[in-house]
């Protein structure tokens, strides 16, 4: 059976910093090597999207100015369909600015309150210092604890409400707010975090987890994700994790 998945890339011209576009490339390549056809749909301001036909979504990071340019379009044009899709288990990865805009609001350095989509029970307040550097978080993707590595660069401090669960525990780095030890939030099949780098090329196990979720959502439990080697990626990941954790 030939599988086809559709990925919506939200605002790629406005929300693409620190190599975030590499996440889409990683998803495409891991699909291609399995014979899965991944159609990438750029979502630009003013576009009309049938979210019921979308299996995966990616929302990258951006500067405050970039977020301000797309906030109205996100909420008013894409909001109803995207909210419904997320509640129907759309598989979504949101990084940094995209993560913030899925929450209730982002209060900037100037005190401006940018409204978010409100699908994640989080809110973000800009802090006085940037949280920059490599980060390692420990997550459970259903097969026991695993360590993911990334790079964070944000001044926004994101705080969780009761309707999300933490994505991972910070082993080194700052995480969502530099205080509670959590890195990212999960709601249904939506994952938000501050891990740039890009995240997915560095962490093929997460890439495969997202693809597997999307396949089962579209085609049912019989859609088994074929095993695919990732020796080089995982070796690089292990070296980076060991190097970072050795400091502490």
């Amino acid at each position: 059976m030939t599988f086809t998945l559709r990925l919506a890339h939200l605002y790629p011209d406005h929300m693409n910093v620190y190599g975030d576009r590499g996440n889409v490339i990683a998803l495409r390549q891991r699909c291609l090597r399995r014979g899965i056809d991944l159609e990438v749909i750029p979502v630009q301001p003013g576009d009309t999207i049938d979210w019921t036909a979308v299996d995966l979504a990616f929302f990258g990071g951006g500067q405050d100015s970039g977020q301000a340019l797309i906030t109205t379009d996100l909420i008013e044009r894409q909001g109803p369909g995207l909210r419904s899709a997320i509640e129907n288990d759309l598989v979504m990865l949101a990084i940094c600015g995209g993560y913030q805009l899925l929450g209730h609001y982002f209060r900037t350095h100037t005190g401006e309150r940018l409204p978010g989509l409100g699908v994640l029970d989080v809110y973000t307040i800009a802090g006085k210092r940037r949280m920059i550097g490599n980060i390692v978080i420990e997550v459970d993707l259903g097969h026991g604890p695993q360590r993911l590595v990334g790079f964070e660069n944000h001044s926004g401090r994101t705080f969780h409400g009761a309707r999300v669960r933490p994505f991972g525990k910070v082993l080194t780095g700052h995480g969502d707010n530099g205080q509670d030890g959590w890195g990212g939030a999960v709601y249904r099949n939506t994952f938000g975090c501050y891990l740039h780098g890009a995240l997915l090329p560095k962490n093929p196990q997460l890439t495969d987890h997202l693809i597997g979720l999307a396949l089962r959502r579209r085609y049912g439990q019989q859609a088994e994700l074929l095993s695919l080697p990732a020796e080089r990626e995982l070796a690089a990941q292990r070296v980076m994790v060991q190097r970072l954790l050795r400091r502490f």
Side-chain angles (χ1 to χ4, degrees), residues 32-43:
L32 179 65
R33 292 173 62 188
R34 291 182 167 98
I36 301 170
D37 182 20
L38 181 66
E39 178 187 353
V40 178
I41 306 165
V43 181

Side-chain angles (χ1 to χ4, degrees), residues 120 127 161 189 197 231:
L120 292 183
N189 283 341
E231 291 92 347

Side-chain angles (χ1 to χ4, degrees), residues 55-121:
D55 307 295
L56 288 152
F58 175 68
F59 199 178
Q63 298 178 347
D64 293 359
S65 57
Q67 294 184 49
L69 288 172
I70 56 91
T71 297
T72 299
D73 188 87
L74 172 69
I75 294 172
E76 295 182 1
R77 181 176 294 273
Q78 305 303 338
L82 181 54
R83 287 191 193 95
S84 178
I86 288 174
E87 294 295 337
N88 196 33
D89 291 331
L90 171 72
V91 181
M92 184 166 190
L93 175 64
I95 306 292
C96 198
Y99 174 31
Q100 295 170 353
L101 289 179
L102 292 185
H104 297 299
Y105 64 87
F106 170 44
R107 195 172 73 201
T108 71
H109 292 280
T110 62
E112 181 183 6
R113 179 176 167 132
L114 295 179
L117 202 58
V119 290
L120 292 183
D121 187 14

